[in-house]
Amino acid sequence: MIIIHKTHSKMDLIELFNCLSVYIPKTLIKQEIIGNIPQYISSAKYNDKVQDVCELIDILKSKTKKQRPNLKLKNLIMLKAKRVVKYCSSNHQLSSDTYLCHEDVYHDVMFIASYGDISTVRKACYLYNESPFCINHINPILSDDKIKELTNKRLIKKNKVFGLKSKQGKVILTFN
């Protein structure tokens, strides 16, 4: 029997096997899905995302890449991200409202960077990296799903075609 890491949700398992052309009904509970994993593995059609059985088993045994902070942790992340944004928008001035030293900002950005799926965290990291007091360049860590979503949004914005038409002809203007 294969041991599945507890961070994988029911929907994570369904999506993973859906990419491998294995249909899993959503009516099953997580324990039933885990019990049927050997059958799903044998009927899977491997592709670029998952190339063979060993890689699939490694994915199932390792922690999921999706970020799911609980409510208390998410509130803490949001608070720190908002403080960094406020610090950057107030011209990087140290004050009792934001930070007392620049190293504290760096430590907060390092803490929140692992939750890059949250848009405020991405904004805080971007603003911090533009700061003249930036100690190290910090990129937020994104899950694969969020990377796909952001690239799709960029493509949609990039493919905008503005409908400006120009015609030649006579124009008559009258003034009263």
Side-chain angles (χ1 to χ4, degrees):
M1 179 155 169
I2 301 169
I3 298 173
I4 310 297
H5 198 276
K6 65 180 180 178
T7 56
H8 290 283
S9 69
K10 170 184 161 181
M11 288 308 296
D12 290 343
L13 296 172
I14 290 174
E15 289 172 9
L16 177 63
F17 281 101
N18 190 27
C19 291
L20 301 173
S21 302
V22 176
Y23 173 74
I24 300 175
K26 292 182 180 179
T27 55
L28 295 177
I29 61 173
K30 183 178 176 182
Q31 294 305 320
E32 292 173 339
I33 294 172
I34 291 172
N36 295 335
I37 290 283
Q39 296 169 0
Y40 300 144
I41 290 175
S42 63
S43 62
K45 296 176 184 164
Y46 300 100
N47 53 29
D48 294 339
K49 188 175 180 181
V50 181
Q51 296 175 351
D52 60 357
V53 179
C54 295
E55 188 175 345
L56 177 60
I57 291 172
D58 287 342
I59 291 171
L60 293 172
K61 285 184 178 180
S62 63
K63 186 177 177 183
T64 183
K65 292 181 181 177
K66 291 190 178 180
Q67 303 163 348
R68 293 188 184 94
N70 60 22
L71 185 63
K72 193 174 183 180
L73 180 59
K74 186 168 183 178
N75 287 338
L76 178 66
I77 293 165
M78 291 298 293
L79 177 70
K80 288 182 184 238
K82 287 177 182 178
R83 282 181 68 197
V84 171
V85 169
K86 184 175 180 181
Y87 160 81
C88 293
S89 64
S90 66
N91 243 358
H92 315 288
Q93 296 293 322
L94 298 174
S95 69
S96 60
D97 292 340
T98 55
Y99 292 98
L100 299 176
C101 66
H102 297 294
E103 288 82 25
D104 291 343
V105 183
Y106 173 73
H107 292 299
D108 278 355
V109 173
M110 285 297 294
F111 175 76
I112 64 174
S114 60
Y115 299 98
D117 285 356
I118 303 170
S119 61
T120 309
V121 170
R122 293 192 302 272
K123 181 178 182 180
C125 290
Y126 173 77
L127 291 173
Y128 175 75
N129 290 334
E130 298 293 317
S131 166
F133 303 105
C134 177
I135 296 171
N136 281 330
H137 187 85
I138 300 170
N139 290 323
I141 299 169
L142 301 169
S143 66
D144 295 337
D145 294 337
K146 187 54 85 169
I147 291 171
K148 280 184 187 176
E149 183 182 326
L150 291 174
T151 53
N152 286 340
K153 282 184 179 181
R154 266 191 226 111
L155 286 173
I156 289 171
K157 286 181 181 178
K158 189 171 142 181
N159 291 337
K160 277 187 181 176
V161 178
F162 297 102
L164 180 64
K165 295 180 182 178
S166 62
K167 294 182 181 180
Q168 290 183 344
K170 294 182 180 180
V171 177
I172 300 173
L173 297 174
T174 56
F175 297 98
N176 291 336

